[in-house]
Amino acid sequence: MKKYTIKDIAQLAGVSKGTVDRVIHNRGNVAKDVEQKVRALLEEINYQPNLLARNLKNNKIFNIGVLIPDPEIDAYWAVCIDGINSALAEFSAFDVRINTFLYDPTDTADFLIRNEHMLETSPDVILMVPLFYKEATSVLQHYQSLNIQVGTFNNQITSSSASFIGQDLYQSGRIAAKLLHSISKNGDMAIIHIDEKYKNAVHMQEKEKGFKSYYADLEGFESSILKCKIKYVETEDKLRDFLNAHPNLEGIFVTNSKAYHVARLLEAEHKTHIKLVGYDLISQNVNYLNSGTIDFLIHQNPRQQAYLGLKYLIEHLVFDKQIPEKFLLPIDIINSENVTPFLRP
Amino acid sequence: MKKYTIKDIAQLAGVSKGTVDRVIHNRGNVAKDVEQKVRALLEEINYQPNLLARNLKNNKIFNIGVLIPDPEIDAYWAVCIDGINSALAEFSAFDVRINTFLYDPTDTADFLIRNEHMLETSPDVILMVPLFYKEATSVLQHYQSLNIQVGTFNNQITSSSASFIGQDLYQSGRIAAKLLHSISKNGDMAIIHIDEKYKNAVHMQEKEKGFKSYYADLEGFESSILKCKIKYVETEDKLRDFLNAHPNLEGIFVTNSKAYHVARLLEAEHKTHIKLVGYDLISQNVNYLNSGTIDFLIHQNPRQQAYLGLKYLIEHLVFDKQIPEKFLLPIDIINSENVTPFLRP
DNA sequence: TTGTATGCGTTATCAC
DNA sequence: GTGATAACGCATACAA
């Protein structure tokens, strides 16, 4: 029950604290027999160093680099800042400082430039959203060669060994399908991909696969799963044509945060009987959720992704804990009645 | 940017560390003018004590009493143990120990006895699930008189000043209504209260109120909201009679974790077309969720409630942080497709 | 190869 | 009233 200290071990082994410390840190210069004896004791007693004392002694200021898309350009990322601040507040007892860098999510070159700026602050570890697969791959490789631990969230760069926090996109597509299925009859369904300012093609494909798999598993489903890809600039016209071309449409799944575009049109065209499921609690979507035009939103919880990512990194720095390679957050289903608590900072 | 220590303050004020410490801790024996000077400096510099050093010095073993219903008697509480262990693991760097006491959730006398046992371990703070309002009120009063900080979860004892973590039950009733409304037409709805081994009448009433309020707000809803109270022992017969008496029933809301009883009967009577929404991810419910007889479950997240409750208490002990009086967790909507990640420990 | 001394920041005791 | 000093547990430079 008592907590053993180095001093205790030293006493039990009949040596000095210095020797025990040398054994613990494999710093050599210890006689073999003594080392064996001390090791045995450490094992037997299950020695756990006092991490407070260690951090007090080290007296080190940890420096964390954070690189995320600029919330001014895409408001989706704003809540990440909250998550980061939460993690910092939680570890305010330790001296962890962050340098945050924002990049333009529509500009791969900017991503690379900001990475260089970040590197100039010589961070101990890095947390980032690696939107661009190709560029991120090379950047992450560089960090690995410099022995800088990196945590990523939102986008997984499978070519890298960086840790990742996100969601199971395939499964979230299945969830969307299940929701639409449960609130509609057995009419046609549509998957709509609306191009964002930046491409998240992999994201959208995975969600589509999951969505289709649900209906493929469904016995007795005879209708069609339609698909429509829309470029951001042409949204309204192309969407209207699509709706008119498919009068039997009963449900729509928008694979990113742009469901509000579809909702606006459904209201304008008096087709709000068509069920609508989309992603992300941005304000435009929440408005249509409350008005009833959007039925469900799937919450990707960017705040929690950022919070957890940073927390893992900090715990690694101060407590030497291992960082999980991959952590998939639960996927939240949101309707007009449970949305409020998810919006708070 | 630099972090100031007592030593720095002492130097700046031209006094010794001891004097600064006396000022900080209001321990008197300081000349007025010196005190003013030091206070001004502390203010100006925004002095923050190094909590690691403080905890190192204090060298105190914190003793936390935990009192929850016995999971062997009601499996619902099993996940709380996981939550408690998570919080402990997170603060393993500090010397916090817990003494867990389990009480029989059907026995108020046992609750009182276990409280006495817990008190004998002279806990610094206490985390508990106060199932029984009357008994809890007096117990909490006693703890308050002993100046023992108490955190509660699951049940709020409004007569006490103990902190509380839980959910907005009224709102969760509204969520159930919204879900049933979205997956059914405009037929009759039923609220079913099934007595548990122990009464949670307040819980169930709040949920009922919320449920009704949703339909009251709904324009053009002409059908009935039925209500059925069932004693645990007579569940099957009374339920069958109820179903037969209301052939137009389209949806059922079970106000506690006993939805699986209804699901079993719906399957037996070939009435699975009736939509069913209930509470809690216990295994019986999850099975019927996967088979499709239960459409949605509302997740009260007991694991997170316990985790957060303990975390707040520990942060209070080691960092002297304030404990939020009341924290309402977001309410999770669960269907067969997103349930899995919510089940992990 | 080993032991001892010192310091991290805070706190508490003890002389002056 | 005040300042010097020791102690918490760990890490390390230096002396032996």
Side-chain angles (χ1 to χ4, degrees), chain A residues 68-89:
Chain A
I68 60 173
D70 190 344
E72 299 258 327
I73 300 175
D74 185 346
Y76 175 78
W77 304 102
V79 290
C80 292
I81 309 280
D82 295 331
I84 287 166
N85 288 333
S86 287
L88 282 179

Side-chain angles (χ1 to χ4, degrees), chain A residues 5-6 21 25 27 47 50 54:
Chain A
T5 70
I6 288 190
D21 190 70
H25 294 87
R27 235 178 297 108
Y47 168 73
N50 183 325
R54 179 177 287 175

Side-chain angles (χ1 to χ4, degrees), chain B residues 42 61 85 104 219 232 234 241 331:
Chain B
L42 289 172
I61 297 177
N85 288 334
D104 183 340
E219 283 175 37
Y232 191 72
E234 55 178 21
D241 292 347
I331 301 172

Side-chain angles (χ1 to χ4, degrees), chain A residues 171 175 330-331 333, chain B residues 280-282 285-287 289-290 297 299 333-344:
Chain A
Q171 193 60 32
I175 291 169
I331 301 172
I333 296 171
Chain B
D280 304 331
L281 305 185
I282 59 177
N285 283 342
V286 172
N287 289 340
L289 189 69
N290 286 327
L297 287 170
H299 185 30
I333 296 172
I334 309 294
N335 70 12
S336 58
E337 294 302 322
N338 76 334
V339 66
T340 310
F342 285 97
L343 296 174
R344 69 181 161 213

